[in-house]
């Protein structure tokens, strides 16, 4: 037996109007962690879908050799039988089912169609222990965070006797801590002889755990490198096709008077109104300033933003929103938008896009008055706008008529961003704007943010990537458990300082709670 | 620079190709309708295309088409309205009570009835939009309520006849202002009257209207094409464009000729035509329509984009109610009486028309033109099978299979693409 567990040869996959993959080759050694890198829309997810039978034999050209045998999968069932399990970019768990039910979905612990719940729970507990998740198997998926959901996905894969585990951007929506835990888990699996393929845009993670790295650019496999001999910059160069000098564009901020202000903002949980999610938050953003909000997952950053933006989250909201020093009503999204606010969501599929419609309609939907007169849409103006923003944010698609559901994850993110750029707000709240976005495109998005700030907008940016906040913000607030626990100028901020603020905040929060 | 323009050109080309594929299913539907008509023309030995029968097809389906317009909005918005048949029946009865029992002026009575329909739709819309009760349940309740109210209002009797002016809504034809053109003198019978079915006497106004419609259509098609090009976007290939418009023009003229050689354009066709044009405009060009699609596609994303989804839903159901009211009037005028059985099962025909026309049951997808063609596909089948003398039981079976087949075919095509 050769030491390659998998060889994909000459894979070509065409969608109507797009050649997603062209003659791609991939060799994966037994027992290694193999990383796949590439820009948004390069074809990484498509390649993995070919491998796992999501796109069945016959819908692509080329050969797949697994364990030395050629495989022609007609569906995901075939590949799973051989121990190839894929965890997709967007998690595929059923929210209203329990952890255990999800883990054995389609693979139930049953005899003659009758499920044995005892066995289900026992097996679930075993597997959960393996992935280091301490949760009751009967807990519903909606009640656990994304990090834990990701672990459930992995446990689910283990339940299928996985030999080759494919992870498509597994850490994109995980906190730093959860990401580390996940990567450690992969390393542990490796010592047990499991092979993994991981797609990621986070080069530091790749550098940490991958043995080999294959780069895909524009649907073609460019090269495969050994981890030992490469630097992050070397990977970037290969991905983008040229050297990228800096990760963050240069900023020379021109900061004016206060533009946006939140005073004593408090929000309660929509289902448990007695629980206060946001506690007396005061913050401000000045004209031309980029302000970051740092914090751990679950600190309440998204909840804060959405509650401000048209009360889209929470109940019993109190406090004041001020724009240009004047109190404004942001109690509906319409009013918030009219006042000059915009919020680009972190969850593009659920809150961001109409996935069955094309790019053009998605870009203009938040600002239809910008392309219409008296309620009548000017088709040409709309087309022009869509093309303009497609170019501006560098969306990779066959045209503005591509259905957004068919775009790669990163390009979907850019459509959401375009939508809000076109709405032309004074204050733009960006929630994880670079999630799932490649290094090159990140640079472009930072450039856009800089340009907006230079044009006198106020930008509030939520991000879980601290280097990013440090790289592009002028000032950073630290949020912890719904409370602002720190504020610092980016110039004197550091990851350690932010972490320290969080820890201090935690301690203080416990004191406050104890005092009550 | 050069690569940039090259990119632009290729993007424009791709976009025009996308635009064509996007419209393919509409063309497919038209072709299906024509094929079905030709099939029945053959099976009925040429009865189907007789002017009187074509006129009949329009009259028989007018109220379904009218309601299909509203139902399209409802379904695109991600909802369903099961009450429209009952509401139409109820409004027809209300109209009869107003006009026959209380002697209301037909015009005023009709307006009141349409307004009542809008209110009924609005109330149901309120429950759907603001109380968040699924539309299936709200309108199922509405269906029962208005079926009951219809029976109560008529107390078991049939109420009629309507004033002549009101009957004209469904039985009337537009007057011939220009006067009939006699191409071939009809043969006279013993009493010195023209024998029906002989000679060719054309309703001149109908023909002129037909010509005007075709001229306007071509003008606007050319206009929008030029507009595209002047903005630097390649339009569809000229040959394709010319062929498409020529075919449509010929079909329109052919139908107009048929109508002209009977009694001219039915009044109700004018009503329908205006409504169809209005709804095409509303869905394709107006922000209101666009928002309905956005809401049906992803209601969370739509409301986070500032769309007032609740109000929009409320409006959609109000419009549906008004159209159900109008349809009820058309139906009552056609029968010249309000009956306790009016509207029974109509909602199913309407919903079937919209789905045959390519709308998605999940919301967010569907075209006015598709719904109208869908209604006529079902209508022509009813008509053709009726003429052929196929039993009503088998007619149901066949219609059911066509509905299933049409949607399956559509999905299959989409998957392949
Ligand atoms: N179902 C589809 N129909 C049409 N085009 C598609 C479809 N799925 C993917 N594509 C196109 O194929 C290309 C590759 O997409 P893919 O999802 O593999 O990218 P990716 O490398 O995973 O990007 P990302 O990092 O953004 O996730 C893109 O241009 C995308 O628009
Ligand atoms: Mg991907």
């Amino acid at each position: 037996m050769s030491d390659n567990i998998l060889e994909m040869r000459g894979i070509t996959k065409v969608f109507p109007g797009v050649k997603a993959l062209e003659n791609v080759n991939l060799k994966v050694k037994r027992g290694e962690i193999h990383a796949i890198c590439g820009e948004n829309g390069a074809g990484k997810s498509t390649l993995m879908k070919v491998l796992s039978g999501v796109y069945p034999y016959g819908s692509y050209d080329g050969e797949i050799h697994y364990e030395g045998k050629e495989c022609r999968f007609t569906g995901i069932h075939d590949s799973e039988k051989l121990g190839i399990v894929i965890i997709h970019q967007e998690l595929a768990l059923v929210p209203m089912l329990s952890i255990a039910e999800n883990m054995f979905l389609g693979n139930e612990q049953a005899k003659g169609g009758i499920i044995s719940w005892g066995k289900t729970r026992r097996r679930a507990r075993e597997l959960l222990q393996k992935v280091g998740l301490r949760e009751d198997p009967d807990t519903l998926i909606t009640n656990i965070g994304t990090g834990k959901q990701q672990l459930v996905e992995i446990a689910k894969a283990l339940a299928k006797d996985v030999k080759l585990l494919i992870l498509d951007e597994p850490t994109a929506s995980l906190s730093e801590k959860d990401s580390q835990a996940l990567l450690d888990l992969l390393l542990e699996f490796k010592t047990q002889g499991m092979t993994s393929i991981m797609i990621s845009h986070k080069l530091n993670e790749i550098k940490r755990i991958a043995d080999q790295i294959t780069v895909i650019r524009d649907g073609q496999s460019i090269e495969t490198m050994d981890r030992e001999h490469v630097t992050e910059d070397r990977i970037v160069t290969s991905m983008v096709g040229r050297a990228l000098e800096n990760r963050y564009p240069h900023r020379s901020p021109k900061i004016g008077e206060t533009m946006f202000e939140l005073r004593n903002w408090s929000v309660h949980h929509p289902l448990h109104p007695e629980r206060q999610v946001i506690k007396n938050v005061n913050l401000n953003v000045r004209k031309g300033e980029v302000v970051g909000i740092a914090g751990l997952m679950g600190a309440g950053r998204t909840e804060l933003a959405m509650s401000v933006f048209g009360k889209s989250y929470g109940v019993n909201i109190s406090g004041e929103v001020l724009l240009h020093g004047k109190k404004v009503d942001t109690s509906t999204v319409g009013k918030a938008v009219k006042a000059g606010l915009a919020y680009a969501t972190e969850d593009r599929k659920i809150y961001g896009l109409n996935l069955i419609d094309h790019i053009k309609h998605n870009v203009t939907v938040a600002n239809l008055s910008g392309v219409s007169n008296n309620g009548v849409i000017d088709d040409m103006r709309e087309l022009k706008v869509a093309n303009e923003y497609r170019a501006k944010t560098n969306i990779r698609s066959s045209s503005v008529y591509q259905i957004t559901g068919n775009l790669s994850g990163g390009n979907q993110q850019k459509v959401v961003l375009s939508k809000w750029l076109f709405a032309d707000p004074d204050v733009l709240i960006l929630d994880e704007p670079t999630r799932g976005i490649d290094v090159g495109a990140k640079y472009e998005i930072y450039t856009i943010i800089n340009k907006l700030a230079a044009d006198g907008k106020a930008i509030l940016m939520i991000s879980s990537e601290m280097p990013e906040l440090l790289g592009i913000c002028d000032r950073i607030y630290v949020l912890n458990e719904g409370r602002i626990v720190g504020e610092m100028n980016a110039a004197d901020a550091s990851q350690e300082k932010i972490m320290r603020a969080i820890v201090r905040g935690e301690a203080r929060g416990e004191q406050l709670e104890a005092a009550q | 620079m050069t690569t940039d323009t090259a990119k632009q050109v290729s993007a424009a080309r791709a976009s025009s190709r996308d635009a064509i594929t996007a419209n393919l299913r509409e063309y497919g539907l038209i072709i299906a309708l024509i094929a079905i008509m030709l099939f029945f023309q053959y099976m009925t030995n040429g009865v189907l295309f007789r002017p009187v029968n074509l006129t009949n097809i329009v009259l028989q389906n007018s109220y379904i088409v009218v309601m299909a317009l509203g139902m399209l909005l409802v379904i695109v918005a991600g909802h369903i309205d099961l009450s429209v048949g009952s509401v139409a029946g109820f409004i027809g009865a209300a109209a009869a009570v107003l006009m026959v029992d209380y002697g209301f002026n037909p015009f005023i009575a009709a307006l009141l009835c349409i307004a009542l329909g809008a209110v009924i739709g609005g109330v149901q819309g309120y429950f759907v939009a603001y109380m968040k009760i699924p539309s299936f349940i709200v309108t199922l309740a509405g269906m029962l309520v208005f079926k009951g109210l219809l029976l109560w209002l008529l107390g078991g009797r049939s109420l009629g006849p309507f004033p002549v002016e009101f009957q004209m809504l469904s039985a009337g034809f537009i007057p011939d202002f220009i006067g009939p053109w006699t191409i071939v003198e009809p043969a006279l019978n013993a009493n010195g009257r023209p024998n029906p079915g002989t000679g060719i006497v054309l309703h001149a106004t109908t023909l002129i209207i037909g010509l005007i419609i075709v001229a306007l259509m071509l003008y606007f098609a050319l206009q929008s094409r030029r507009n595209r090009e002047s903005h630097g976007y390649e339009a569809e290939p000229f040959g394709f464009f010319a062929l498409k418009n020529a075919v449509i023009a010929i079909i329109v003229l052919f139908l107009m000729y048929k109508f002209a050689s009977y009694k001219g354009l039915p009044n109700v066709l004018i009503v329908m035509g205006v409504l169809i044009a209005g709804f095409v405009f509303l869905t394709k060009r107006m922000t209101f329509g666009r928002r309905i699609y956005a809401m049906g596609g992803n209601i969370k994303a739509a409301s986070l984009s500032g769309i007032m989804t609740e109000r929009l839903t409320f409006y959609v159901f109000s419009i549906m109610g008004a159209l159900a009211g109008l349809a009820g009037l058309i139906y009552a005028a056609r029968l010249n009486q309000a009956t306790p059985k009016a509207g029974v099962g109509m909602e199913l025909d309407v919903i079937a028309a919209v789905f045959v026309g390519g709308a998605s049951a999940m919301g967010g997808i569907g075209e006015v033109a598709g719904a109208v063609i869908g209604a006529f596909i079902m209508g022509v089948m009813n008509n053709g099978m009726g003429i052929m003398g196929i039993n009503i039981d088998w007619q149901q079976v066949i219609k059911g299979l066509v509905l299933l087949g049409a949607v399956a075919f559509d999905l299959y095509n989409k998957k392949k693409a």
Side-chain angles (χ1 to χ4, degrees), chain A residues 40-41 43-46 49 89-90 168-169 199 201 408-410 436:
Chain A
N40 296 125
K44 307 176 296 292
S45 298
T46 306
K49 285 180 187 167
Q89 196 162 358
E90 326 290 338
D168 196 347
E169 299 194 34
I199 297 176
H201 290 295
S408 78

Side-chain angles (χ1 to χ4, degrees), chain B residues 25-26 29 72 75-76 351-361 363-375 377 403 406-407 410-411 414:
Chain B
R25 39 197 284 183
E26 257 168 79
L29 269 175
L72 177 90
I75 287 175
V76 166
I351 293 168
V354 174
F355 285 134
V356 168
S360 156
I365 294 176
E367 303 272 339
V368 169
V372 172
I373 296 169
I377 286 180
L403 169 62
V407 176
D410 204 38
L411 282 181
K414 234 185 284 168

Side-chain angles (χ1 to χ4, degrees), chain A residues 16-17 306 309 312 333-334 337 343 345 349-357 361 364-366 368 372 375-380 382-384 387 390 398-399 401-402 419-420, chain B residues 10-11 14-19 224 227-228 231 233 281 284-288 290-291 293-298 300-308 360 363-365 416-417:
Chain A
M306 283 180 72
F309 192 61
S312 306
V333 175
V337 171
Y343 166 70
T345 170
K349 293 228 167 180
I350 295 182
Y351 293 115
L353 293 173
N354 178 359
L355 292 167
I356 58 176
D357 211 342
H361 286 175
T364 57
V365 69
L368 281 176
S372 61
V376 178
I377 295 169
D378 180 342
D379 209 27
M380 281 305 121
E382 186 179 27
L383 186 55
K384 214 170 113 194
N387 274 317
R390 173 169 174 253
S398 55
S399 76
Y401 291 104
Q402 189 167 348
K419 168 165 91 175
W420 289 112
Chain B
S10 80
S15 75
S16 82
R17 191 180 47 219
D18 284 354
S224 95
N227 195 5
R228 271 190 84 81
H231 282 81
Y233 296 108
F281 189 75
K284 292 245 186 223
R285 294 291 306 279
M286 292 187 60
T287 53
F288 179 78
R290 174 66 61 76
R291 293 190 173 120
Y293 284 85
M295 178 169 77
N298 182 348
K300 286 180 186 159
S303 60
L304 268 183
S305 300
I307 293 175
M308 313 255 214
S360 156
I365 294 176
K416 224 176 51 175

Side-chain angles (χ1 to χ4, degrees), chain B residues 93-379:
Chain B
V97 169
L98 286 179
M99 282 182 247
V100 180
D101 285 353
Y102 293 94
F104 265 63
N105 169 301
F107 190 69
I108 292 178
L111 281 185
L112 281 176
C113 283
I114 293 174
L116 178 60
V119 170
I120 292 172
V123 170
Q124 301 195 70
Y126 176 83
F127 282 103
V128 176
Y130 294 96
M131 314 276 285
K132 313 274 182 231
I133 303 176
S135 56
F136 190 93
I137 295 169
V138 171
T139 60
L140 184 63
M143 175 174 157
L144 296 171
V145 166
F146 291 103
K147 205 183 271 178
L149 287 179
L150 164 63
L151 295 177
W152 165 77
L153 199 56
L154 290 181
R157 62 195 167 137
S158 287
L159 200 52
F162 284 103
V164 179
E165 298 97 308
F166 184 68
Q167 291 173 30
M168 283 300 121
L169 174 59
S170 285
F173 295 84
I174 61 166
D176 197 352
F177 300 107
I178 303 164
W181 286 336
T182 306
I183 310 292
V184 178
E185 284 290 345
L188 300 184
N189 62 14
N191 304 328
R193 298 251 182 131
N195 237 346
T198 61
I200 302 176
V201 181
L202 295 179
H203 192 277
T205 310
T206 296
L207 275 186
I208 301 288
I209 290 180
L211 286 173
I212 293 174
I213 290 176
V214 168
L216 281 177
M217 232 176 53
L218 292 180
Y219 173 76
F220 281 122
L222 270 174
Q223 183 91 336
S224 95
R225 184 183 168 78
R226 216 169 284 143
N227 195 5
R228 271 190 84 81
E229 284 175 340
S230 74
H231 282 81
Y233 296 108
E234 197 184 310
E236 51 200 5
F238 188 77
F240 181 80
F241 171 81
L243 181 73
K244 183 179 91 180
N245 282 288
V247 169
I248 296 175
I250 288 171
I251 292 176
V252 172
L253 286 177
F254 172 75
L255 291 176
M256 285 299 180
Y257 175 79
K258 288 286 181 182
F259 289 126
S261 50
Y262 186 54
K263 293 184 183 169
L265 286 176
N267 288 337
V268 71
L269 184 58
I270 303 280
V271 174
M272 254 164 67
V274 170
L275 279 176
I276 293 171
F279 273 75
V280 168
F281 189 75
L282 183 132
T283 52
K284 292 245 186 223
R285 294 291 306 279
M286 292 187 60
T287 53
F288 179 78
R290 174 66 61 76
R291 293 190 173 120
I292 298 175
Y293 284 85
M295 178 169 77
N298 182 348
I299 188 165
K300 286 180 186 159
S303 60
L304 268 183
S305 300
I307 293 175
M308 313 255 214
T309 52
E310 283 139 7
R311 196 153 44 167
L312 196 59
T313 306
F314 172 76
Y315 284 148
V316 166
F317 275 91
S318 305
I319 292 174
M320 177 76 256
L323 290 174
L326 175 60
L329 296 180
I330 294 174
Y331 187 73
R334 182 171 155 70
L335 294 189
N336 198 14
Q337 62 178 4
T339 75
K341 291 190 80 175
V344 172
M346 244 183 229
E347 61 279 347
L348 301 180
D349 284 336
V350 174
I351 293 168
V354 174
F355 285 134
V356 168
S360 156
M362 313 291 286
I365 294 176
E367 303 272 339
V368 169
V372 172
I373 296 169
F376 276 112
I377 286 180
M378 301 305 263

Side-chain angles (χ1 to χ4, degrees), chain A residues 149-221:
Chain A
Q149 289 182 10
Q150 191 65 261
L151 292 178
V152 173
E153 280 276 16
I154 292 176
K156 184 176 163 187
L158 294 181
K160 290 173 187 157
D161 267 335
V162 53
K163 297 203 180 64
L164 174 59
L165 181 63
I166 305 167
L167 302 118
D168 196 347
E169 299 194 34
T171 59
S173 38
L174 297 194
S175 67
E176 193 69 22
K177 216 165 102 199
D178 287 343
S179 301
Q180 294 309 329
L182 187 108
L183 298 180
D184 287 338
L185 195 62
L186 288 182
L187 286 172
E188 192 189 319
F189 288 157
K190 183 179 145 185
T191 61
Q192 296 162 12
M194 195 165 89
T195 315
S196 321
I197 299 178
M198 181 173 90
I199 297 176
S200 179
H201 290 295
K202 298 186 179 169
L203 300 179
N204 52 347
E205 293 179 354
I206 290 175
K207 194 59 188 126
R208 198 181 131 203
I209 68 160
D211 299 299
Q212 288 200 92
I213 300 149
T214 294
V215 174
I216 296 183
R217 191 199 314 151
D218 288 334
Q220 292 172 325
S221 39

Side-chain angles (χ1 to χ4, degrees), chain A residues 259-364:
Chain A
M259 191 132 133
F260 172 76
E261 206 178 339
L262 267 188
R263 284 191 192 154
N264 301 323
W265 195 256
S266 290
V267 180
H268 291 254
H269 194 279
L271 299 179
H272 312 283
E274 71 285 354
R275 227 169 81 203
Q276 196 172 353
V277 185
I278 301 297
K279 298 156 191 162
N280 241 351
V281 165
N282 287 288
L283 60 76
N284 63 68
V285 188
R286 287 168 293 176
K287 191 173 165 160
E289 192 180 28
V290 181
V291 173
I293 304 186
L296 302 177
M297 283 283 153
R301 293 169 300 172
T302 296
E303 289 79 358
L304 172 64
M306 283 180 72
S307 65
V308 172
F309 192 61
K311 301 201 168 162
S312 306
Y313 172 89
V315 292
N316 299 342
I317 299 172
S318 60
E320 289 174 3
V321 185
L322 286 86
L323 267 159
H324 303 288
K326 275 198 278 302
K327 251 180 81 172
V328 290
D329 179 7
T330 61
S331 59
T332 68
V333 175
K335 283 178 188 163
V337 171
K338 206 164 276 163
L341 231 58
Y343 166 70
T345 170
E346 61 174 338
D347 196 333
R348 54 199 173 226
K349 293 228 167 180
I350 295 182
Y351 293 115
L353 293 173
N354 178 359
L355 292 167
I356 58 176
D357 211 342
H358 51 58
I359 298 171
K360 186 177 89 167
H361 286 175
N362 271 288
V363 169
T364 57

